[in-house]
Amino acid sequence: NAGVMQNPRHLVRRRGQEARLRCSPMKGHSHVYWYRQLPEEGLKFMVYLQKENIIDESGMPKERFSAEFPKEGPSILRIQQVVRGDSAAYFCASSPISDRVGRGYTFGSGTRLTVV
Amino acid sequence: SQKIEQNSEALNIQEGKTATLTCNYTNYSPAYLQWYRQDPGRGPVFLLLIRENEKEKRKERLKVTFDTTLKQSLFHITASQPADSATYLCALDVGANNLFFGTGTRLTVIP
């Protein structure tokens, strides 16, 4: 069981470029959550997805950010026209069912995005 | 909006002692609360979950309490070891399928 796989581990982008972050959930998990962690701040919820559906994107910035979880392949968090303020660690978590029943999440090791 | 305060950014403790970390929250009544461990450069690792109708939960050297009247959770590590050094995060269930995380307490266990 490989756990939640995120890639790349580190990503450097120049201002104005696009960043694509990938997350493969644990085998058998159909729910994916993206969180962002800014330096010295707590993890902030961004979006919750199931296969082919965005369930809750209340934490996503209104512009430049999008997420998908296709029927086949990993979940993708896409940031267009990156700015310095997007520099952060982005974590993906997965669960077998909705966390409303109160189970812990399994997190990946994150992607550290640096915008130069 | 919800607010979580975790006691002190950093806590140093002597090996073998009990470490006690505090999580206080306001403006919400969560159905459950979770504790995670995070090492530098790594993702959080789930440790324990405690529900609103539970007073205490244990797992090996870990113990969590949950006081919904005080709006507080305490996280204890007994017989602490240097390997327990990490940042510990508490997280509230705020519904809508997401967790609200505190900023964490960085624990250092001194040999």
Side-chain angles (χ1 to χ4, degrees):
Chain A
N1 190 342
V4 177
M5 303 301 292
Q6 289 189 249
N7 65 81
R9 288 294 308 274
H10 301 275
L11 182 62
V12 179
R13 284 287 178 265
R14 295 185 185 281
R15 279 179 295 171
Q17 290 185 319
E18 178 180 288
R20 293 172 73 90
L21 288 62
R22 297 175 190 77
C23 168
S24 296
M26 281 186 68
K27 188 176 180 181
H29 286 193
S30 58
H31 298 244
V32 166
Y33 311 81
W34 284 94
Y35 283 77
R36 176 165 66 174
Q37 189 171 39
L38 292 165
E40 308 305 323
E41 292 190 19
L43 287 152
K44 304 292 186 192
F45 169 78
M46 299 183 75
V47 62
Y48 161 47
L49 310 103
Q50 296 177 27
K51 285 282 187 182
E52 300 184 278
N53 284 305
I54 297 175
I55 307 303
D56 180 357
E57 57 181 348
S58 58
M60 288 278 271
K62 292 288 185 277
E63 298 177 349
R64 302 186 298 107
F65 285 72
S66 63
E68 63 176 8
F69 189 13
K71 187 176 180 181
E72 302 290 339
S75 175
I76 305 287
L77 179 67
R78 182 182 176 206
I79 311 172
Q80 295 179 290
Q81 299 176 311
V82 296
V83 300
R84 288 239 170 94
D86 296 333
S87 296
Y90 291 82
F91 291 97
C92 167
S94 72
S95 67
I97 57 177
S98 167
D99 194 61
R100 287 303 294 141
V101 298
R103 299 166 190 260
Y105 290 167
T106 301
F107 280 87
S109 292
T111 294
R112 275 142 195 87
L113 172 66
T114 303
V115 180
V116 297
Chain B
S1 61
Q2 308 90 3
K3 185 178 178 183
I4 295 179
E5 286 185 358
Q6 293 194 241
N7 67 315
S8 66
E9 288 187 11
L11 178 67
N12 296 331
I13 193 165
Q14 207 69 38
E15 182 177 5
K17 301 291 186 184
T18 296
T20 298
L21 285 63
T22 304
C23 176
N24 295 297
Y25 60 92
T26 58
N27 299 332
Y28 200 73
S29 296
Y32 56 86
L33 185 147
Q34 301 185 17
W35 284 89
Y36 287 79
R37 168 182 174 142
Q38 187 174 24
D39 291 283
R42 310 293 297 179
V45 174
F46 171 71
L47 296 174
L48 281 167
L49 178 152
I50 187 164
R51 300 179 191 279
E52 61 179 338
N53 61 349
E54 296 175 318
K55 295 292 185 188
E56 181 179 299
K57 203 77 162 289
R58 290 175 185 262
K59 178 182 175 183
E60 297 172 354
R61 294 184 296 111
L62 308 180
K63 184 178 85 170
V64 173
T65 63
F66 193 9
D67 188 326
T68 55
T69 302
L70 291 178
K71 292 187 181 293
Q72 180 182 79
S73 175
L74 299 178
F75 178 79
H76 306 272
I77 306 175
T78 58
S80 58
Q81 304 166 1
D84 296 327
S85 298
T87 296
Y88 292 86
L89 309 171
C90 81
L92 304 182
D93 153 50
V94 294
N97 302 295
N98 75 73
L99 293 177
F100 186 75
F101 282 85
T103 53
T105 296
R106 188 170 63 253
L107 174 68
T108 301
V109 180
I110 302 165

